[in-house]
Amino acid sequence: MSREIPYKIYLEESEMPKQWYNLRADMKNKPAPLLNPETLQPVTYEELSGIFCEELAKQELNETDTHIDIPEEIQKFYKMYRPAPLVRAYCLEEKLGTPAKIYYKFEGNNTSGSHKLNSAIAQAYYAKKQGLKGVTTETGAGQWGTALSMACSYFDLDCQVYMVKVSYEQKPFRREVMRTYGASVTPSPSETTNIGRQILKEHPGTNGSLGCAISEAVEKAVSTEGYRYVLGSVLNQVLLHQSIIGMETKIALDKYEIVPDVVIGCAGGGSNLGGLIAPFMGEKIRGERDYQIIAVEPASCPSMTRGTYAYDYCDTGRVCPLQKMYTLGSGFMPSPNHAGGLRYHGMSATLSQLYADGLMEARSVEQSAVFEAATQFARVEGILPAPESSHAIRVALDEALKCKETGEEKTIVFGLTGTGYFDMFAYEKFNDGKMTDYIPTDEEIAASCAKLPKVN
Amino acid sequence: MSREIPYKIYLEESEMPKQWYNLRADMKNKPAPLLNPETLQPVTYEELSGIFCEELAKQELNETDTHIDIPEEIQKFYKMYRPAPLVRAYCLEEKLGTPAKIYYKFEGNNTSGSHKLNSAIAQAYYAKKQGLKGVTTETGAGQWGTALSMACSYFDLDCQVYMVKVSYEQKPFRREVMRTYGASVTPSPSETTNIGRQILKEHPGTNGSLGCAISEAVEKAVSTEGYRYVLGSVLNQVLLHQSIIGMETKIALDKYEIVPDVVIGCAGGGSNLGGLIAPFMGEKIRGERDYQIIAVEPASCPSMTRGTYAYDYCDTGRVCPLQKMYTLGSGFMPSPNHAGGLRYHGMSATLSQLYADGLMEARSVEQSAVFEAATQFARVEGILPAPESSHAIRVALDEALKCKETGEEKTIVFGLTGTGYFDMFAYEKFNDGKMTDYIPTDEEIAASCAKLPKVN
């Protein structure tokens, strides 16, 4: 007899994972190695540890240990805002009239408003442990920058954030949250780096771009004594830390003897998706159980559904290692009408390999349909979701409505990565009926992919 | 042996309160009755139910039942975002180096960002049950309006919010959250009411005020078939619904055999404070146990610490019933440099009576000290608090630091009513070193109180 399932399943602290799960160790086909952008040879630990913290460089390259201990200090911080609830969407099910059972793992109950904090605190911890003075990073809309500021503030670590200039000016709230946590926030491009000065000279009125902000943050880190660069998605180390999402989800489901049929996550660089699906994918790879796993990406930035599986630069500035991944080309920019995140041109190497191996599906959705789902969800389940998370909501609703037609009682689990409190300009556009969609043409994608580096 | 205390105590759903606690029924000196503003006689149920929903009018006048059942539909909604965690502030204690044990009841884990939702859902439910089409209300910064929009959206009830014009224009995010939940938001003063048109005629360029917005909302409700007016604080019915905060807190503490020495809450109209302290005050009144109970108010709007205990109008428009309370006069306006809420000129009649009877203390704090506490708390405990809640944080820190000096191991419980995600302009001011304090002079308060109605 299974127990009655509450609206929200919270694990006891004693049930929280004490190790991260390193999915790569269980993968039969490992993701292709990172390449040094100058030599085009696989990067070594020595090379990586010049950019990243030592322990993180090790994690980045670790393909053998299935489990890695979560240091006690990180566990302590996790306990401040975790466990995240696994919510049974009773109200949504009732409203939809679906026989499906819908669950979502809600990662928004912290001030960064998203799952990004799970990796930020780990990266800050290892930087502190290495005796560094501080870290640098870039941020667009500011979710990652906020998470990192919170983490650095906790460990008394200096945090220097390069924020895309247009966001710095138009999203002052995120900027102020970061400043409240003691971070210094610099609009990018800036006068503080060579690359920034060069860009400002060439394009005096520029609004900045994520690619430029990455290049500034990396330059600052490698040229400043006691600093390293940190990144909030795409990397193996980030997926490792984010495995806490999936592990908590799995423990909560197991506790109530619930077996999901479908696991759904939104995908930009892949940090949330990789973390959420990790233990389920592990079982699938080991042949213990089968799950339908669905990655959801924006139709305006469709790296998995329409990109090429090839080596590409991770950043537009081409200073970071190359990665084999589904990519739209490192110069690809989503159309200006694209709201919210999930605007990265590529996809985590691990997820790319899993997708190439047919172990998961990918779907793309248009943003007006995404905001429809977001609004419907908010009104019934109370939580105003982030635009990113709402991509997963869209497909969860679609799957639940399919069940209504077929009568299937599927169990659907999706990742609700965060809240949309700092995304109200996008909601305003939707509320005013002014939100538009844009799907890049085949020609656009082909043109961008034609510039892929010749290492494949 | 008491059990090890986790970072966050979450009640099981089965442990959640199924009744609200009506503190007034246990009070030896009852709060003075509301008076009809025209006759100056105690208001009757018939009069009240013309403005408020029938069941809410009954609750407003109920001084006999100690417990009132929470309807099942409301319990169901509560389960979507409650129980709220009672958090042991381990990290804060460590940072302060205090022997005190600090707990806070965190009410910010919902999209309205505060405890206001606890009463909004109750008021919306009773409106729906009565067969009403909709409700009207006013909102300043937007916390209450957001909560009510969420509640109405859940019950498919029309929600008309009059939002103080200056907030409507300067705080578009809150406005958009309300619109996302389907509410219609009108900047006040507006052309939709007589009082609004009159004010616009007399003061064409006005920014609006809460008093004017209340008057418009009440006029709209009483002049529209199938509508009633609802209010988010001050009233007895609101304190009743908010008792869920204190009851959950008490159950969680009892579960771990924790007995607080001090209970601290911020106080504007009194909805959070009244709810948080209810069960503790009940024990105190019944002589079962003693607690130190502290209300914290802004030095710029010090109704309890510097006001007069007298009958006064609840609104500047003088359309609502009169209430006996600690008041600064219904025309009192806090200085323009005052950030955040807690700007009401009076205090809940119930809390006023308790204060007059010496059953609780009141302290006032200046806002720069409040934001210092807020920032300190955010950096250690992770949550960026609302300015309102930070008043309670300030006094909790002060008490904990006193314990550090004396070596006392006091147990301190305070209410963390919500998050400050929509208050970043105020944080920006503080981060830029531009936040100032203002304490009204004795003359100002005397002048405002000189206009109290002559019914005392």
mmCIF file of all heavy atoms in Angstrom, chain B residues 356-394:
data_model
loop_
_atom_site.group_PDB
_atom_site.id
_atom_site.type_symbol
_atom_site.label_atom_id
_atom_site.label_comp_id
_atom_site.label_asym_id
_atom_site.label_seq_id
_atom_site.Cartn_x
_atom_site.Cartn_y
_atom_site.Cartn_z
ATOM 1 N N ALA B 356 -2.479 48.432 25.407
ATOM 2 C CA ALA B 356 -2.988 49.295 26.477
ATOM 3 C C ALA B 356 -3.023 48.534 27.802
ATOM 4 O O ALA B 356 -2.825 49.111 28.874
ATOM 5 C CB ALA B 356 -4.385 49.803 26.117
ATOM 6 N N ASP B 357 -3.263 47.232 27.729
ATOM 7 C CA ASP B 357 -3.324 46.398 28.934
ATOM 8 C C ASP B 357 -1.940 45.938 29.406
ATOM 9 O O ASP B 357 -1.837 45.139 30.345
ATOM 10 C CB ASP B 357 -4.200 45.161 28.678
ATOM 11 C CG ASP B 357 -5.673 45.528 28.549
ATOM 12 O OD1 ASP B 357 -6.048 46.658 28.949
ATOM 13 O OD2 ASP B 357 -6.454 44.707 28.042
ATOM 14 N N GLY B 358 -0.904 46.398 28.739
ATOM 15 C CA GLY B 358 0.462 46.061 29.165
ATOM 16 C C GLY B 358 0.874 44.639 28.858
ATOM 17 O O GLY B 358 1.837 44.123 29.433
ATOM 18 N N LEU B 359 0.182 44.003 27.930
ATOM 19 C CA LEU B 359 0.502 42.609 27.617
ATOM 20 C C LEU B 359 1.598 42.478 26.558
ATOM 21 O O LEU B 359 2.088 41.392 26.283
ATOM 22 C CB LEU B 359 -0.761 41.872 27.165
ATOM 23 C CG LEU B 359 -1.766 41.622 28.307
ATOM 24 C CD1 LEU B 359 -3.159 41.336 27.766
ATOM 25 C CD2 LEU B 359 -1.277 40.449 29.169
ATOM 26 N N MET B 360 1.933 43.573 25.918
ATOM 27 C CA MET B 360 3.041 43.538 24.963
ATOM 28 C C MET B 360 3.780 44.873 24.969
ATOM 29 O O MET B 360 3.261 45.882 25.418
ATOM 30 C CB MET B 360 2.544 43.192 23.556
ATOM 31 C CG MET B 360 1.448 44.094 23.026
ATOM 32 S SD MET B 360 0.757 43.455 21.491
ATOM 33 C CE MET B 360 1.611 44.510 20.340
ATOM 34 N N GLU B 361 5.028 44.831 24.433
ATOM 35 C CA GLU B 361 5.831 46.039 24.302
ATOM 36 C C GLU B 361 5.767 46.538 22.873
ATOM 37 O O GLU B 361 5.424 45.796 21.960
ATOM 38 C CB GLU B 361 7.307 45.736 24.578
ATOM 39 C CG GLU B 361 7.622 45.220 25.944
ATOM 40 C CD GLU B 361 9.054 44.690 25.991
ATOM 41 O OE1 GLU B 361 9.934 45.235 25.290
ATOM 42 O OE2 GLU B 361 9.273 43.702 26.719
ATOM 43 N N ALA B 362 6.175 47.775 22.670
ATOM 44 C CA ALA B 362 6.343 48.289 21.310
ATOM 45 C C ALA B 362 7.658 49.046 21.242
ATOM 46 O O ALA B 362 8.055 49.709 22.189
ATOM 47 C CB ALA B 362 5.183 49.201 20.941
ATOM 48 N N ARG B 363 8.345 48.886 20.132
ATOM 49 C CA ARG B 363 9.572 49.637 19.893
ATOM 50 C C ARG B 363 9.523 50.239 18.503
ATOM 51 O O ARG B 363 8.927 49.663 17.595
ATOM 52 C CB ARG B 363 10.801 48.714 19.967
ATOM 53 C CG ARG B 363 11.028 48.183 21.337
ATOM 54 C CD ARG B 363 12.355 47.504 21.467
ATOM 55 N NE ARG B 363 12.327 46.652 22.636
ATOM 56 C CZ ARG B 363 13.200 45.684 22.886
ATOM 57 N NH1 ARG B 363 14.167 45.451 22.012
ATOM 58 N NH2 ARG B 363 13.109 44.958 23.970
ATOM 59 N N SER B 364 10.176 51.364 18.336
ATOM 60 C CA SER B 364 10.258 51.939 16.992
ATOM 61 C C SER B 364 11.718 51.966 16.549
ATOM 62 O O SER B 364 12.611 52.151 17.384
ATOM 63 C CB SER B 364 9.658 53.339 16.968
ATOM 64 O OG SER B 364 10.493 54.246 17.644
ATOM 65 N N VAL B 365 11.932 51.734 15.262
ATOM 66 C CA VAL B 365 13.299 51.703 14.727
ATOM 67 C C VAL B 365 13.393 52.549 13.468
ATOM 68 O O VAL B 365 12.416 52.696 12.723
ATOM 69 C CB VAL B 365 13.740 50.246 14.411
ATOM 70 C CG1 VAL B 365 13.982 49.470 15.700
ATOM 71 C CG2 VAL B 365 12.711 49.521 13.562
ATOM 72 N N GLU B 366 14.580 53.097 13.244
ATOM 73 C CA GLU B 366 14.783 53.960 12.077
ATOM 74 C C GLU B 366 15.194 53.139 10.865
ATOM 75 O O GLU B 366 15.848 52.103 11.000
ATOM 76 C CB GLU B 366 15.837 55.025 12.401
ATOM 77 C CG GLU B 366 15.331 55.972 13.484
ATOM 78 C CD GLU B 366 16.373 57.016 13.864
ATOM 79 O OE1 GLU B 366 16.908 57.671 12.951
ATOM 80 O OE2 GLU B 366 16.641 57.155 15.069
ATOM 81 N N GLN B 367 14.821 53.632 9.692
ATOM 82 C CA GLN B 367 14.947 52.766 8.523
ATOM 83 C C GLN B 367 16.382 52.462 8.098
ATOM 84 O O GLN B 367 16.646 51.387 7.556
ATOM 85 C CB GLN B 367 14.112 53.283 7.354
ATOM 86 C CG GLN B 367 14.565 54.567 6.729
ATOM 87 C CD GLN B 367 13.653 54.944 5.568
ATOM 88 O OE1 GLN B 367 12.720 54.241 5.212
ATOM 89 N NE2 GLN B 367 13.932 56.076 4.954
ATOM 90 N N SER B 368 17.333 53.350 8.345
ATOM 91 C CA SER B 368 18.691 52.986 7.941
ATOM 92 C C SER B 368 19.199 51.819 8.800
ATOM 93 O O SER B 368 19.874 50.923 8.296
ATOM 94 C CB SER B 368 19.635 54.197 8.013
ATOM 95 O OG SER B 368 19.556 54.790 9.273
ATOM 96 N N ALA B 369 18.813 51.806 10.079
ATOM 97 C CA ALA B 369 19.177 50.674 10.939
ATOM 98 C C ALA B 369 18.443 49.406 10.496
ATOM 99 O O ALA B 369 18.967 48.295 10.610
ATOM 100 C CB ALA B 369 18.846 50.995 12.391
ATOM 101 N N VAL B 370 17.252 49.591 9.964
ATOM 102 C CA VAL B 370 16.461 48.463 9.473
ATOM 103 C C VAL B 370 17.125 47.845 8.242
ATOM 104 O O VAL B 370 17.254 46.620 8.132
ATOM 105 C CB VAL B 370 15.020 48.924 9.154
ATOM 106 C CG1 VAL B 370 14.285 47.891 8.303
ATOM 107 C CG2 VAL B 370 14.257 49.218 10.443
ATOM 108 N N PHE B 371 17.561 48.687 7.311
ATOM 109 C CA PHE B 371 18.210 48.155 6.101
ATOM 110 C C PHE B 371 19.583 47.555 6.398
ATOM 111 O O PHE B 371 20.017 46.625 5.716
ATOM 112 C CB PHE B 371 18.267 49.218 4.995
ATOM 113 C CG PHE B 371 16.994 49.269 4.193
ATOM 114 C CD1 PHE B 371 15.903 49.989 4.653
ATOM 115 C CD2 PHE B 371 16.859 48.552 3.009
ATOM 116 C CE1 PHE B 371 14.709 50.013 3.943
ATOM 117 C CE2 PHE B 371 15.676 48.569 2.296
ATOM 118 C CZ PHE B 371 14.593 49.304 2.753
ATOM 119 N N GLU B 372 20.259 48.096 7.410
ATOM 120 C CA GLU B 372 21.502 47.441 7.840
ATOM 121 C C GLU B 372 21.228 46.016 8.289
ATOM 122 O O GLU B 372 21.935 45.076 7.916
ATOM 123 C CB GLU B 372 22.104 48.199 9.041
ATOM 124 C CG GLU B 372 23.242 49.120 8.702
ATOM 125 C CD GLU B 372 23.538 50.055 9.872
ATOM 126 O OE1 GLU B 372 23.585 49.591 11.030
ATOM 127 O OE2 GLU B 372 23.682 51.268 9.609
ATOM 128 N N ALA B 373 20.195 45.864 9.103
ATOM 129 C CA ALA B 373 19.823 44.529 9.592
ATOM 130 C C ALA B 373 19.397 43.636 8.437
ATOM 131 O O ALA B 373 19.754 42.454 8.370
ATOM 132 C CB ALA B 373 18.705 44.643 10.620
ATOM 133 N N ALA B 374 18.658 44.215 7.504
ATOM 134 C CA ALA B 374 18.166 43.451 6.352
ATOM 135 C C ALA B 374 19.332 42.890 5.545
ATOM 136 O O ALA B 374 19.352 41.711 5.159
ATOM 137 C CB ALA B 374 17.298 44.341 5.466
ATOM 138 N N THR B 375 20.322 43.743 5.294
ATOM 139 C CA THR B 375 21.471 43.348 4.488
ATOM 140 C C THR B 375 22.292 42.284 5.211
ATOM 141 O O THR B 375 22.712 41.279 4.616
ATOM 142 C CB THR B 375 22.325 44.584 4.162
ATOM 143 O OG1 THR B 375 21.494 45.534 3.498
ATOM 144 C CG2 THR B 375 23.489 44.237 3.274
ATOM 145 N N GLN B 376 22.490 42.505 6.508
ATOM 146 C CA GLN B 376 23.238 41.542 7.311
ATOM 147 C C GLN B 376 22.539 40.174 7.286
ATOM 148 O O GLN B 376 23.173 39.133 7.082
ATOM 149 C CB GLN B 376 23.316 42.074 8.751
ATOM 150 C CG GLN B 376 24.299 41.318 9.623
ATOM 151 C CD GLN B 376 24.453 41.955 10.999
ATOM 152 O OE1 GLN B 376 23.918 43.039 11.266
ATOM 153 N NE2 GLN B 376 25.170 41.282 11.876
ATOM 154 N N PHE B 377 21.244 40.196 7.447
ATOM 155 C CA PHE B 377 20.451 38.966 7.433
ATOM 156 C C PHE B 377 20.538 38.274 6.076
ATOM 157 O O PHE B 377 20.789 37.075 5.973
ATOM 158 C CB PHE B 377 18.996 39.297 7.768
ATOM 159 C CG PHE B 377 18.078 38.109 7.761
ATOM 160 C CD1 PHE B 377 17.975 37.298 8.887
ATOM 161 C CD2 PHE B 377 17.319 37.793 6.645
ATOM 162 C CE1 PHE B 377 17.129 36.194 8.892
ATOM 163 C CE2 PHE B 377 16.478 36.693 6.640
ATOM 164 C CZ PHE B 377 16.387 35.893 7.764
ATOM 165 N N ALA B 378 20.359 39.054 5.011
ATOM 166 C CA ALA B 378 20.366 38.490 3.655
ATOM 167 C C ALA B 378 21.681 37.776 3.362
ATOM 168 O O ALA B 378 21.697 36.679 2.798
ATOM 169 C CB ALA B 378 20.137 39.592 2.624
ATOM 170 N N ARG B 379 22.771 38.398 3.761
ATOM 171 C CA ARG B 379 24.082 37.826 3.423
ATOM 172 C C ARG B 379 24.371 36.540 4.169
ATOM 173 O O ARG B 379 25.157 35.721 3.703
ATOM 174 C CB ARG B 379 25.182 38.858 3.709
ATOM 175 C CG ARG B 379 25.100 40.035 2.750
ATOM 176 C CD ARG B 379 26.305 40.937 2.879
ATOM 177 N NE ARG B 379 26.138 42.094 2.012
ATOM 178 C CZ ARG B 379 27.075 43.024 1.837
ATOM 179 N NH1 ARG B 379 28.215 42.917 2.467
ATOM 180 N NH2 ARG B 379 26.855 44.035 1.028
ATOM 181 N N VAL B 380 23.749 36.361 5.321
ATOM 182 C CA VAL B 380 24.032 35.165 6.113
ATOM 183 C C VAL B 380 22.952 34.100 5.951
ATOM 184 O O VAL B 380 23.255 32.912 5.849
ATOM 185 C CB VAL B 380 24.184 35.543 7.605
ATOM 186 C CG1 VAL B 380 24.469 34.305 8.431
ATOM 187 C CG2 VAL B 380 25.296 36.543 7.781
ATOM 188 N N GLU B 381 21.694 34.526 5.905
ATOM 189 C CA GLU B 381 20.599 33.555 5.854
ATOM 190 C C GLU B 381 20.056 33.341 4.437
ATOM 191 O O GLU B 381 19.150 32.535 4.227
ATOM 192 C CB GLU B 381 19.463 33.982 6.786
ATOM 193 C CG GLU B 381 19.780 33.781 8.268
ATOM 194 C CD GLU B 381 19.817 32.304 8.668
ATOM 195 O OE1 GLU B 381 18.949 31.546 8.223
ATOM 196 O OE2 GLU B 381 20.735 31.913 9.410
ATOM 197 N N GLY B 382 20.603 34.110 3.478
ATOM 198 C CA GLY B 382 20.243 33.855 2.087
ATOM 199 C C GLY B 382 19.001 34.567 1.601
ATOM 200 O O GLY B 382 18.897 34.883 0.428
ATOM 201 N N ILE B 383 18.059 34.854 2.465
ATOM 202 C CA ILE B 383 16.787 35.453 2.028
ATOM 203 C C ILE B 383 16.889 36.978 2.049
ATOM 204 O O ILE B 383 17.257 37.567 3.055
ATOM 205 C CB ILE B 383 15.638 35.019 2.955
ATOM 206 C CG1 ILE B 383 15.470 33.503 2.931
ATOM 207 C CG2 ILE B 383 14.349 35.725 2.571
ATOM 208 C CD1 ILE B 383 14.614 32.967 4.065
ATOM 209 N N LEU B 384 16.532 37.615 0.935
ATOM 210 C CA LEU B 384 16.479 39.071 0.878
ATOM 211 C C LEU B 384 15.117 39.496 1.423
ATOM 212 O O LEU B 384 14.097 39.302 0.776
ATOM 213 C CB LEU B 384 16.653 39.546 -0.564
ATOM 214 C CG LEU B 384 16.782 41.049 -0.703
ATOM 215 C CD1 LEU B 384 18.213 41.410 -1.079
ATOM 216 C CD2 LEU B 384 15.828 41.589 -1.738
ATOM 217 N N PRO B 385 15.096 40.083 2.607
ATOM 218 C CA PRO B 385 13.810 40.321 3.273
ATOM 219 C C PRO B 385 13.100 41.584 2.813
ATOM 220 O O PRO B 385 13.734 42.525 2.330
ATOM 221 C CB PRO B 385 14.218 40.447 4.747
ATOM 222 C CG PRO B 385 15.603 41.010 4.704
ATOM 223 C CD PRO B 385 16.244 40.496 3.436
ATOM 224 N N ALA B 386 11.791 41.615 2.989
ATOM 225 C CA ALA B 386 11.019 42.829 2.740
ATOM 226 C C ALA B 386 11.414 43.879 3.768
ATOM 227 O O ALA B 386 11.763 43.543 4.900
ATOM 228 C CB ALA B 386 9.523 42.528 2.846
ATOM 229 N N PRO B 387 11.359 45.164 3.392
ATOM 230 C CA PRO B 387 11.650 46.223 4.363
ATOM 231 C C PRO B 387 10.764 46.095 5.611
ATOM 232 O O PRO B 387 11.252 46.302 6.731
ATOM 233 C CB PRO B 387 11.331 47.506 3.589
ATOM 234 C CG PRO B 387 11.475 47.144 2.148
ATOM 235 C CD PRO B 387 11.086 45.707 2.048
ATOM 236 N N GLU B 388 9.506 45.741 5.418
ATOM 237 C CA GLU B 388 8.594 45.599 6.562
ATOM 238 C C GLU B 388 9.138 44.556 7.544
ATOM 239 O O GLU B 388 9.301 44.809 8.734
ATOM 240 C CB GLU B 388 7.193 45.176 6.080
ATOM 241 C CG GLU B 388 6.476 46.203 5.201
ATOM 242 C CD GLU B 388 6.892 46.137 3.742
ATOM 243 O OE1 GLU B 388 7.799 45.348 3.410
ATOM 244 O OE2 GLU B 388 6.312 46.898 2.936
ATOM 245 N N SER B 389 9.409 43.365 7.005
ATOM 246 C CA SER B 389 9.894 42.262 7.841
ATOM 247 C C SER B 389 11.193 42.639 8.551
ATOM 248 O O SER B 389 11.485 42.142 9.643
ATOM 249 C CB SER B 389 10.178 41.030 6.981
ATOM 250 O OG SER B 389 9.275 40.916 5.912
ATOM 251 N N SER B 390 11.968 43.481 7.896
ATOM 252 C CA SER B 390 13.298 43.801 8.423
ATOM 253 C C SER B 390 13.228 44.611 9.708
ATOM 254 O O SER B 390 14.204 44.682 10.457
ATOM 255 C CB SER B 390 14.110 44.547 7.358
ATOM 256 O OG SER B 390 14.162 43.763 6.181
ATOM 257 N N HIS B 391 12.081 45.201 9.981
ATOM 258 C CA HIS B 391 11.907 45.857 11.283
ATOM 259 C C HIS B 391 12.004 44.822 12.399
ATOM 260 O O HIS B 391 12.620 45.070 13.437
ATOM 261 C CB HIS B 391 10.555 46.581 11.326
ATOM 262 C CG HIS B 391 10.521 47.835 10.520
ATOM 263 N ND1 HIS B 391 10.542 47.840 9.141
ATOM 264 C CD2 HIS B 391 10.493 49.143 10.901
ATOM 265 C CE1 HIS B 391 10.520 49.094 8.714
ATOM 266 N NE2 HIS B 391 10.485 49.907 9.750
ATOM 267 N N ALA B 392 11.405 43.675 12.180
ATOM 268 C CA ALA B 392 11.474 42.601 13.182
ATOM 269 C C ALA B 392 12.896 42.041 13.259
ATOM 270 O O ALA B 392 13.394 41.728 14.345
ATOM 271 C CB ALA B 392 10.482 41.501 12.835
ATOM 272 N N ILE B 393 13.557 41.942 12.100
ATOM 273 C CA ILE B 393 14.944 41.454 12.099
ATOM 274 C C ILE B 393 15.814 42.363 12.960
ATOM 275 O O ILE B 393 16.620 41.901 13.757
ATOM 276 C CB ILE B 393 15.516 41.404 10.663
ATOM 277 C CG1 ILE B 393 14.737 40.408 9.793
ATOM 278 C CG2 ILE B 393 17.003 41.038 10.687
ATOM 279 C CD1 ILE B 393 15.178 40.393 8.329
ATOM 280 N N ARG B 394 15.623 43.677 12.777
ATOM 281 C CA ARG B 394 16.432 44.646 13.534
ATOM 282 C C ARG B 394 16.365 44.365 15.038
ATOM 283 O O ARG B 394 17.392 44.267 15.722
ATOM 284 C CB ARG B 394 15.935 46.069 13.226
ATOM 285 C CG ARG B 394 16.583 47.207 14.012
ATOM 286 C CD ARG B 394 18.024 47.461 13.615
ATOM 287 N NE ARG B 394 18.983 46.667 14.341
ATOM 288 C CZ ARG B 394 20.257 46.495 13.986
ATOM 289 N NH1 ARG B 394 20.717 47.054 12.891
ATOM 290 N NH2 ARG B 394 21.056 45.755 14.699
#
